[in-house]
Amino acid sequence: MSDRIEAAKIPPPVLDALDALNAAGCEAVLVGGCVRDLLMGRTPSDFDVCTAALPEQTEAVFAGKRLIETGLKHGTVTVLAGGLPLEITTYRVDGSYSDSRRPDSVAFTPSLTEDLARRDFTVNAMAWSPSGGLVDPFGGQADLAAGLLRCVGEPERRFTEDALRILRALRFSATLGFSIDIETGNALRRLAERLEFVSAERVCSELCKLICGPKAADVILEYADVLGVVLPELLPLRSFDQRNPHHCYDALTHSVRAMEQLPPEPVLRWAGLLHDVAKPETFTLDEDGIGHFYGHPQRGAEKCDALCRRLRFDNAGRERVCELVRLHDRWIEPKEASVRRALSRMGPELFFQLMRLKRADVLALAPECRDRLAVYDRVEALANAQLAAGAALSLRELAVSGRDLIAIGYQPGPALGQALAALLDAVLDGSVENEKDALLRLAELRLSDDRPDDQPAGATLCGRPPKRFPPTPQGAIP
Ligand code: ATP
Ligand code: MG
């Protein structure tokens, strides 16, 4: 870790804003996460400027620029600098807290140290400017070097003021890989119940960042009690012995180990964390003493749906997490037709996400199960080959259209749709090429068939009913 910040790492419009405030006689600094990240050699996600200038002075300094005043009552003026919004906030002290979340009032102060004192952790309570260098009244730099998260001030009081800080501590621990100072850790455990005061949206956004952190698995295992206040679904997984030879971990450890195998994207990580969430409630023991979990993917998807709604996930994310959990045990045979069928039903994006989840699941099982990865390699290779070959996976890609079928005598209506679906089914199955003449011949056969209209599509077309996903072979996938 460097103890210096190079101005060259800071976007010029940010430095220009500091200069403009200085030129007007107002102290101005970078503060919080960006200083922490710059000291760690990381690229900050955003730059926060703090200043002794009152909001109206800041507005006067940037009079020629586009200003956004939405944060004005908290002392924040947003300046569009070089196309990007830059938040400039007047130094402030927070008043008393009565809702465990937000100060009842804020007051402006000319003192930078007072402003830094209201910040959550020492590593987030440093300021820097080209003229004044680093300002670090609470030992943030030393904690950064030691990889330690420590509250500014008295931890009990700080978490009582604002319970969101409890989750922020876990989130920074997971993302930065820092350990939590003993007193800070004890206080957040004691006050964990206060997380109930935090809005679902804030909980969700912190948890999404947390589970994407490189140390998320360790943090979840170490602070399962605390996280259990907002994710009570995790608690029954803890110490849950699956009584199954495939499993070398308890259910929570398995879940987080699977989760950490996945790329740091919230949807995938949530699916990894929650894929076995219904195992405890679907557990049965057979006469040989082996544990089974029949129906856990479906039940798990239902639990995920409730969890995601409670945390106010966006709809697309919720649906995708639930779908992945519902499908995670689906066995896809390494055969062209099975793979085409799965691609057609899921679409390529979900298909490949599911394969990632299935791999992650295997990697968190007993090592003897790893040979399944070779099967997944074959499934994915087949899928890639099908996509590269432009295989028809949907009605749109079929070499005949409804119009073509009408031209050979079909009537518009449900039977036409059924015929097209049956043709696609036959193509997916590999029993006919996706080729216009061949498909029309098959459609003609179907037309001449005196089959009643309500017979399922495909029943007579290829001499057998359309295939569904084959069930998971018993005991093949836990
Ligand atoms: P990120 O990399 O996620 O942006 P950050 O530390 O910049 O991390 P922000 O939420 O952007 O986090 O907040 C900016 C700064 O504001 C923090 O570094 C911290 O100093 C302060 N801060 C944010 N939230 C709180 C809070 N709940 N209590 C006290 N200080 C806070
Ligand atoms: Mg930030």
Side-chain angles (χ1 to χ4, degrees), residues 176-247:
L176 303 176
F178 285 11
S179 45
I180 298 178
D181 166 67
I182 292 181
E183 266 188 57
T184 297
N186 288 343
L188 70 82
R189 284 183 197 280
R190 271 196 299 276
L191 296 165
E193 291 294 331
R194 289 185 168 256
L195 281 174
E196 282 167 10
F197 294 112
V198 182
S199 75
E201 289 82 356
R202 298 306 297 264
V203 168
C204 188
S205 113
E206 287 300 325
L207 288 178
C208 286
K209 292 180 190 165
L210 189 163
I211 63 172
C212 289
K215 293 286 176 205
D218 295 344
V219 168
I220 294 171
L221 291 175
E222 191 173 346
Y223 295 96
D225 272 331
V226 176
L227 289 168
V229 176
V230 285
L231 291 176
E233 293 84 352
L234 296 186
L235 295 176
L237 298 176
R238 214 171 24 160
S239 317
F240 182 78
D241 177 358
Q242 310 196 42
R243 308 281 288 271
N244 188 300
H246 295 309
H247 282 277

Side-chain angles (χ1 to χ4, degrees), residues 54-77:
L54 291 169
E56 51 272 26
Q57 288 177 286
T58 302
E59 289 194 313
V61 169
F62 296 99
K65 306 248 181 208
R66 251 195 78 197
L67 303 178
I68 303 166
E69 298 188 329
T70 41
L72 216 51
K73 68 173 191 286
H74 304 292
T76 302
V77 175

